[in-house]
Amino acid sequence: MSFEADATEDDAICDALAARGFAVAPDFLSRDAVSALRAEALRRRAASEFHAARVGRGDAMQRDAAIRGDEVCWLDAQAASAPERALLARLTALRLALNRTLFLGVHELEAHYACYGPGAGYARHLDRFSDDDARVISLVLYLNPSWREADGGVLQLFASREARELALVVAPRGGTLVALRSDTISHEVLAAHAERWSVAGWLRRRT
Ligand code: OGA
Ligand code: MN
């Protein structure tokens, strides 16, 4: 199984990231790819491989559903199934395009599935930790083939940590990829009213 890489699409993502700090590609993955990955996520959840997401790092790590209500399952390249390997390969192509065009020097990807149940969201935050600046670009790929407006769960982007005005609102529709700068683009997930599935990933540099 492979998810076809699209150099034109990757170039457009690089351009938007350079110009605005974020990019949205509505058809990054095909319907078939989305349903294969969603099935993998459901299978892993049924096998109890998901756990409540925590906020912070190290000693400061805690569970706080008022801040962040999703459940996650980290992707392990060694244990990846065929659709997961195809996804990792596709995201590696994007990583290399970013290095080629924007000289980001990102050398690895960490990624997890996330499931937000009804009522769950993620309060406004930046993805870069205060004590670790390895994360350069954040990626979110949605696995919801028939998301409706009434299902809520939109991602709101702000152009900076301080910005009060919204820069963009993205619905978590299946196949859509969002890429954003981990250090500057703050963002928030509004409460979902239906199960909301995704893969979130971070491209990291050596620190
Ligand atoms: C995250 C995050 C956004 C989304 O996992 O850090 O901000 O739309 N996710 O799921
Ligand atoms: Mn985030």
Side-chain angles (χ1 to χ4, degrees), residues 68 112 116 122 125 127 140 142 155 187 189 196 198 200 202:
R68 176 172 187 188
H112 64 52
Y116 292 74
Y122 194 161
H125 65 281
D127 281 355
V140 193
Y142 299 112
L155 172 67
H187 53 280
V189 179
R196 178 191 191 271
S198 61
W202 295 274

Side-chain angles (χ1 to χ4, degrees), residues 7-201:
T8 313
E9 180 152 60
D10 289 3
D11 286 347
I13 292 169
C14 293
D15 288 349
L17 273 172
R20 301 189 297 177
F22 56 84
V24 179
D27 296 306
F28 187 79
L29 284 191
S30 70
R31 242 170 200 289
D32 288 352
V34 168
S35 64
L37 286 167
R38 185 187 174 94
E40 290 305 293
L42 287 163
R43 176 179 67 74
R44 291 192 183 277
R45 183 126 176 280
S48 303
E49 293 181 33
F50 278 61
H51 60 267
R54 288 171 289 258
V55 291
R57 264 170 35 92
D59 293 343
M61 197 149 93
Q62 49 172 312
R63 161 114 172 107
D64 188 343
I67 298 177
R68 176 172 187 188
D70 56 332
E71 286 181 34
V72 304
C73 171
W74 287 94
L75 280 166
D76 169 1
Q78 308 308 314
S81 61
E84 292 165 349
R85 281 200 307 276
L87 174 67
L88 294 173
R90 178 67 189 90
L91 295 178
T92 297
L94 175 61
R95 177 175 70 75
L96 296 175
L98 285 162
N99 285 341
R100 214 162 41 233
T101 58
L102 303 181
F103 308 104
L104 290 186
V106 282
H107 72 103
E108 69 172 9
L109 168 75
E110 54 178 0
H112 64 52
Y113 289 114
C115 177
Y116 292 74
Y122 194 161
R124 183 168 170 174
H125 65 281
L126 287 174
D127 281 355
R128 187 175 280 184
F129 300 112
S130 52
D131 63 344
D132 176 355
D133 59 4
R135 288 177 169 184
V136 177
I137 299 290
S138 307
L139 304 171
V140 193
L141 183 56
Y142 299 112
L143 305 179
N144 309 297
S146 47
W147 197 257
R148 299 162 308 147
E149 209 173 308
D151 296 332
V154 294
L155 172 67
Q156 297 189 328
L157 303 184
F158 300 85
S160 68
R161 187 203 283 269
E162 303 77 25
R164 299 173 61 121
E165 266 161 51
L166 279 173
L168 190 70
V169 178
V170 186
R173 285 201 193 88
T176 298
L177 174 89
V178 180
L180 52 92
R181 281 182 60 159
S182 305
D183 60 340
T184 56
I185 304 296
S186 85
H187 53 280
E188 171 169 15
V189 179
L190 299 191
H193 307 307
E195 269 189 7
R196 178 191 191 271
W197 294 85
S198 61
V199 172

